[in-house]
């Protein structure tokens, strides 16, 4: 059997096993183990050990549990909830003000958490009931919460980018910096869409009454102070890192410690809260570690048989595709996979295939792999909210009020999928959107 056929069988076997719905890391590891034993016999036993020791030497992974802990601490202590109360007071007079405030809330939550799930949980538990009670259109606000929550994997400290950085062996700090402008641009596009829709159809988002907003200025300032705590934590953490006072790992520790101190100052720190946050942190961290370990073992076998070189020959030499045509095909495959797989599964599938190939493409782009990492991360946003199996769709169904049906959830996400695709197109036309800030910080 040719090496190309072996590579095809490995790839097809991994995809088939993932479609069974079993744990991603187990399916990847099973294919890697079976392929290694078939090809190399007992000598293949060294593969997982080498992969494990390689995993333990990547210091960027130490930031993962710290960022996950920080996000869960701020969420479970109720500090993130105060952000929405602040938005309600300060944005309520605008047309669609609560929806616009919710988008800003999602940006802030993304910046302190790095996970899409946290923003969705907070938005569906706090923002949706408040906006429904005030007569907002349920399809519009469901889309706002789902679309806004996807910003969590694009803005720093994105956990998905940590995973990509480890597998692609790129600096996670460069990826985080590269995601800032695309994330903010996407948030602005979301806000413009909401504002224009509400202007064209004011019944979608009624203005709040003066009575509801007749809060004394002193109380408004108190709310503003309460809501600013997460922003201060984020600025402290990122500011210390960018100015060089702390390393990436030290900044993550500053964020985790600051979140704990903030919960204590609020009088909400308890053993029960610490226990719940620690359990959630360990669960998510262990899952990511197992996935990376499985991906490394799979990549070792896949690359060892020359599969990457074979794929390069097919795309570049046999089909005579231009480098940009290859990138477009990759993006289309991401969107297709995103309808059925989560971001972790997508990355594990494409990492052995695409990452080495992208490194060889002549696109004349600075920090080409960093740029591609942002493209991948933005496509993951589509994966979270694309039918039929987008994670956020089913999570939203479980968290949203009863009056929001699954049909409403499906109807709400299409405008946001289109807007994310528009931002991806902008990034492909103007790569500097992603690459300028890492260049500036590195050289300036």
């Amino acid at each position: 059997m040719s090496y190309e056929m072996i590579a095809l069988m490995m790839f097809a076997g991994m995809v088939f096993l993932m479609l069974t719905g079993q744990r991603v890391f187990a399916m990847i590891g099973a294919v890697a183990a079976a392929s290694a034993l078939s090809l190399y016999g007992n000598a293949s036993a060294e593969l997982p050990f080498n992969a494990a020791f390689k995993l333990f030497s990547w210091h960027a992974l130490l930031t993962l549990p710290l960022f996950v802990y920080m996000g869960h601490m701020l969420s479970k202590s109720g500090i993130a909830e105060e952000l929405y109360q602040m938005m309600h007071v300060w944005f309520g007079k605008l047309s669609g003000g609560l929806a616009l405030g919710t988008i800003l809330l999602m940006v802030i939550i993304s910046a302190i958490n790095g996970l899409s799930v946290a923003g969705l949980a907070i938005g569906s538990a706090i923002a949706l009931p408040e906006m429904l009670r005030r007569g907002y259109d349920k399809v519009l606000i469901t889309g706002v919460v789902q679309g806004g929550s996807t910003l969590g994997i694009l803005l720093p400290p994105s956990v998905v980018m940590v995973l990509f950085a480890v597998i692609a062996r790129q600096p996670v700090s460069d990826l985080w910096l590269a995601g800032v402008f695309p994330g903010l641009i996407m948030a602005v596009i979301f806000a413009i869409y909401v504002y224009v829709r509400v202007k064209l159809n004011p019944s979608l988002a009624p203005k709040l009454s003066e009575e509801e907003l007749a809060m004394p200025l002193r109380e408004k300032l108190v709310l503003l102070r309460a809501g600013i705590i997460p922003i201060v934590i984020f600025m402290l953490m990122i500011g210390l890192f960018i100015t060089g006072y702390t390393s990436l790992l030290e900044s993550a520790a500053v964020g985790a410690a600051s979140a704990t101190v903030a919960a204590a100052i609020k009088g909400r720190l308890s053993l029960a809260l610490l226990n719940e946050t620690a359990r959630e942190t360990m669960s998510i961290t262990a899952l990511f570690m197992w996935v990376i370990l499985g991906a490394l073992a799979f990549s070792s076998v896949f690359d060892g048989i020359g599969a990457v070189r074979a794929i390069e020959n097919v795309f570049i030499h046999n089909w005579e595709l231009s480098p940009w045509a290859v990138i477009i095909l990759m993006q289309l495959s991401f969107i297709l996979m995103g309808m059925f797989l989560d971001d972790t599964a997508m990355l594990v599938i494409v990492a052995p295939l695409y990452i080495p190939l992208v490194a060889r493409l002549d696109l004349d782009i600075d920090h080409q792999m960093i740029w591609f990492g942002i493209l991948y991360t933005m496509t993951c946003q589509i994966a979270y909210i694309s039918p039929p199996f987008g994670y956020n769709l089913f999570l939203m169904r479980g968290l949203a009020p009863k009056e929001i049906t699954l049909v409403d959830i499906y109807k709400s996400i299409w405008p946001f999928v289109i807007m994310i695709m528009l931002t991806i197109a902008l990034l492909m036309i103007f790569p500097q959107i992603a690459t300028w800030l890492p260049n500036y910080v590195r050289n300036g």
Side-chain angles (χ1 to χ4, degrees):
M1 184 182 295
S2 66
Y3 288 136
E4 289 82 358
M5 184 58 65
I6 295 172
L8 182 61
M9 289 182 65
M10 287 180 63
F11 180 76
M14 180 175 62
V15 173
F16 173 76
L17 288 176
M18 283 186 177
L19 292 177
T20 64
Q22 300 301 315
R23 296 283 186 182
V24 170
F25 69 84
M27 299 302 97
I28 303 163
V31 173
S35 302
L37 286 170
S38 300
L39 291 168
Y40 309 122
N42 293 335
S44 64
E46 294 184 8
L47 276 174
F49 291 104
N50 292 335
F53 282 107
K54 189 184 298 183
L55 181 66
F56 296 147
S57 68
W58 286 335
H59 297 293
L61 275 179
L62 293 174
T63 65
L64 178 62
L66 293 170
F67 284 128
V68 173
Y69 172 90
M70 178 184 68
H72 279 286
M73 177 59 70
L74 291 171
S75 175
K76 295 180 184 299
S77 64
I79 294 175
E81 182 177 349
E82 292 174 346
L83 280 173
Y84 187 79
Q85 294 173 348
M86 182 187 75
M87 302 300 175
H88 163 58
V89 171
W90 288 91
F91 287 86
K93 289 186 178 180
L94 293 173
S95 296
L98 287 183
L100 294 173
T102 299
I103 293 174
L104 180 57
L105 169 70
M106 292 299 173
V107 172
I108 297 170
I109 291 173
S110 300
I112 62 177
N113 186 275
L115 291 169
S116 171
V117 174
L120 184 66
I122 293 170
S124 58
I126 303 169
L128 281 181
E130 289 291 326
M131 288 190 283
L132 285 172
R133 187 167 64 85
R134 290 167 172 80
Y136 275 62
D137 180 74
K138 60 181 181 179
V139 173
L140 173 67
I141 60 176
T142 302
V144 166
V145 171
Q146 289 187 103
S149 69
T150 64
L151 295 170
I153 64 171
L154 187 57
L155 294 169
S158 167
V159 174
V160 172
M161 287 187 188
V162 174
L163 183 61
F164 181 91
V166 170
I167 293 178
R169 303 181 186 183
Q170 299 295 317
V172 67
S173 56
D174 283 359
L175 279 163
W176 282 351
L177 291 170
V180 170
F181 285 149
L184 294 178
I185 288 172
M186 191 178 298
V188 170
I189 291 174
F190 289 174
I192 292 172
Y193 162 76
V194 171
Y195 183 79
V196 171
R197 278 208 65 187
V198 172
K199 276 293 185 183
L200 295 175
N201 186 0
S203 65
L204 294 176
K207 288 186 178 180
L208 303 185
S209 66
E210 291 299 324
E211 184 178 335
E212 288 178 300
L213 294 172
M215 179 182 288
L217 180 60
R218 183 177 179 180
E219 294 182 25
K220 286 186 178 183
L221 292 176
V222 169
L223 263 183
L224 184 63
R225 183 182 63 188
I228 278 179
I229 289 177
I231 305 175
V232 171
I233 292 174
F234 172 69
M235 295 303 295
L236 176 67
M237 179 181 66
I238 299 297
L240 289 172
F241 172 65
I242 290 178
T243 55
Y245 284 102
T246 61
S247 66
L248 179 63
L249 179 58
E250 290 167 343
S251 292
V254 168
S258 299
T260 307
V261 170
I265 292 173
K266 289 286 188 179
R268 299 166 187 169
L269 189 64
S270 65
L271 287 176
L273 176 63
L274 285 171
N275 181 58
E276 185 179 3
T277 302
R279 285 180 179 273
E280 292 283 348
T281 301
M282 289 298 295
S283 176
I284 294 173
T285 303
L287 174 62
F288 270 89
M289 294 287 278
W290 275 112
V291 168
I292 296 171
L293 184 60
L296 288 173
F298 185 92
S299 299
S300 298
V301 180
F302 202 80
D303 195 35
I305 61 176
V308 174
R309 180 66 65 180
I311 293 168
E312 180 185 3
N313 288 333
V314 169
F315 277 179
I316 305 299
H317 303 297
N318 295 354
W319 292 1
E320 298 183 349
L321 296 177
S322 68
W324 281 105
V326 173
I327 291 292
I328 291 171
L329 279 179
M330 289 179 181
Q331 291 303 112
L332 291 175
S333 70
F334 284 160
I335 293 173
L336 180 63
M337 284 189 290
M339 295 181 179
F340 302 95
L341 300 171
D342 66 284
D343 59 318
T344 305
M346 283 173 56
L347 180 57
V348 171
I349 289 175
V350 304
L353 295 168
Y354 291 173
I355 289 176
L357 182 57
V358 169
R360 294 187 175 102
L361 293 178
D362 184 15
L363 296 171
D364 194 26
I365 296 174
D366 292 334
H367 301 294
Q368 185 165 299
M369 192 58 68
I370 298 295
W371 169 80
F372 180 74
I374 303 303
L375 279 185
Y376 160 76
T377 305
M378 293 170 74
T379 312
C380 285
Q381 293 178 280
I382 298 177
Y384 274 122
I385 58 176
S386 291
F389 301 123
Y391 272 22
N392 282 16
L393 300 178
F394 296 104
L395 187 60
M396 171 65 81
R397 184 66 192 93
L399 295 172
K402 293 181 180 179
E403 55 263 47
I404 295 178
T405 66
L406 190 59
V407 174
D408 295 329
I409 293 171
Y410 277 16
K411 285 169 59 178
S412 72
I413 52 92
W414 291 112
F416 291 88
V417 169
I418 293 170
M419 286 185 280
I420 294 172
M421 293 175 68
L422 172 63
T423 315
I424 290 174
L426 285 173
L427 188 61
M428 293 178 71
I429 297 171
F430 305 106
Q432 297 83 1
I433 294 173
T435 60
W436 180 84
L437 189 56
N439 276 332
Y440 177 80
V441 172
R442 180 179 291 183
N443 301 324

